Amino acid sequence: MHVNVQFIDLKTQYEEVRATLDPAIAEILSSGAYVLGKHNKELENIIATRHGVKHAICVNSGTDALRIMAQACDIGPGDEVITTAFTFVATVEVVAQLGATPVFVDIDRETMCIDPAKIEAAITSKTKAILPVHLFGQMVDITAIQAIAEKHNLIILEDSAQNIYSHHNGVYTGNFGKAAGISFYVTKNLGAAGDGGMILTNDDEVNRRCLSLRIHGMGRERYYYDEIGYTSRLAELQAAVLVSKIAKLDEWNAQREKVANHYLSELADANLILPHTYEGNNNVWHQFTIQTPDRDGLMNHLKEKGIASAIFYPVPIHMHEPYAHFGAGKGSLPITEIVSEQCLSIPVHQHMTMEQAAYVAQEIKAYVGLK
Ligand SMILES: Cc1ncc(COP(=O)(O)O)c(C=O)c1O
């Protein structure tokens, strides 16, 4: 048997929403209202309501969301920000660009998120914030991180790029720190037709500064600037894509969960490390990431069988040349490093059939065997 299983199916996503999206696109193009208009507002309202936050601010990318919210929280030179090296580069990039120092803490093997038990040892008199990354569709161990932040008077900035609609016991991301940043990059659970992002915050002053920073630091008056900012408007065309898709997001996430649950039960006895979800967290299964010492062999086997897979992330951030001086080199984050060597993300998306999920699980079992 040979079945093709794609990693993501953007064409079918579009087909599912084109009846509402096509007229919205035509209307925007003929209206001439191209940026920060009613579709931006609608998207902000939908997400602020669902996440239960006071403010949602559309920006140009998830990276800009993190950068702008960190600047709005006064992260800058002299500050240390505790984070993970097992992440997409943007998390660390924005901290460095603001002149602050990223401090890496190792991760937990099974959740692949920052390990709260290792955070306190990294705190110094310069530590200003913890920047946890909610990874692959679930939140970090947020209660433990909140307790540490409170004890040491640190702010929390949530990297929620991969985690729209994530919550811990019903409290959604965006409510655990000063602000959270979401990405709408093409391949996210909610993806634009290009770049997009959003900041969530309950803090009025952070909201005020983010609104200003996304248009060059412009304050109450046009062409008067309060601080050095960015150009980070979200196009109305992108907001319309996102509004049309968000109507489907619960249904799409439910299908991701069905596929993930199938993998969890079918692969329970396979010779692999499976992803673990913390107690109280939902999981929106942005990725389903397994670990095996024979990762490259498994990846090749799946490829031969028509199954796409991907490595997130092959080299942790502290081992990339531009970031090396922030860390303590190879060997300093043993769990992060081994997970990077052994991780493989397998297809988990809303347009997979259960037959495809069964085929993927069967081919993995055939290759790795039982424990
Ligand atoms: C963990 C994480 N942080 C930040 C980002 C940056 O988001 P964007 O690609 O929208 O700039 C991403 C997305 O790729 C991400 O996965």
Side-chain angles (χ1 to χ4, degrees), residues 61-64 66 87-88 90-91 133 159 161-162 183-185 188 195-196 313:
S61 67
T63 308
D64 270 6
L66 296 174
T87 182
F88 181 64
T91 315
V133 178
D159 182 338
Q162 306 181 357
S183 165
F184 300 129
Y185 180 64
K188 296 295 191 284
D195 282 303
Y313 300 94

Side-chain angles (χ1 to χ4, degrees), residues 60-67 84 86-94 132-136 159-163 181-188 194-198 286 312-313:
N60 214 340
S61 67
T63 308
D64 270 6
L66 296 174
R67 182 185 286 131
T84 168
F86 191 65
T87 182
F88 181 64
V89 67
T91 315
V92 183
E93 181 185 45
V94 300
V133 178
H134 303 315
L135 198 69
F136 298 156
D159 182 338
S160 240
Q162 306 181 357
N163 276 57
I182 290 177
S183 165
F184 300 129
Y185 180 64
V186 179
T187 53
K188 296 295 191 284
D195 282 303
M198 183 175 273
H286 177 56
F312 306 116
Y313 300 94

Side-chain angles (χ1 to χ4, degrees), residues 62-171:
T63 308
D64 270 6
L66 296 174
R67 182 185 286 131
I68 289 173
M69 74 194 214
Q71 184 168 333
C73 293
D74 290 320
I75 300 296
D79 296 330
E80 290 179 358
V81 177
I82 290 177
T83 191
T84 168
F86 191 65
T87 182
F88 181 64
V89 67
T91 315
V92 183
E93 181 185 45
V94 300
V95 173
Q97 284 171 337
L98 289 172
T101 304
V103 174
F104 301 117
V105 164
D106 213 354
I107 56 173
D108 171 75
R109 182 78 196 254
E110 291 182 343
T111 62
M112 297 164 275
C113 293
I114 191 167
D115 186 346
K118 296 178 182 148
I119 290 179
E120 281 195 290
I123 295 174
T124 72
S125 58
K126 292 182 178 164
T127 309
K128 182 148 184 183
I130 306 175
L131 173 45
V133 178
H134 303 315
L135 198 69
F136 298 156
Q138 76 153 326
M139 295 181 63
V140 293
D141 184 354
I142 195 67
T143 339
I145 290 176
Q146 270 189 311
I148 297 165
E150 244 163 65
K151 182 172 159 196
H152 296 273
N153 200 20
L154 306 174
I155 61 170
I156 297 176
L157 298 168
E158 300 175 70
D159 182 338
S160 240
Q162 306 181 357
N163 276 57
I164 188 164
Y165 285 11
S166 263
H167 62 78
H168 177 70
N169 291 329
V171 182

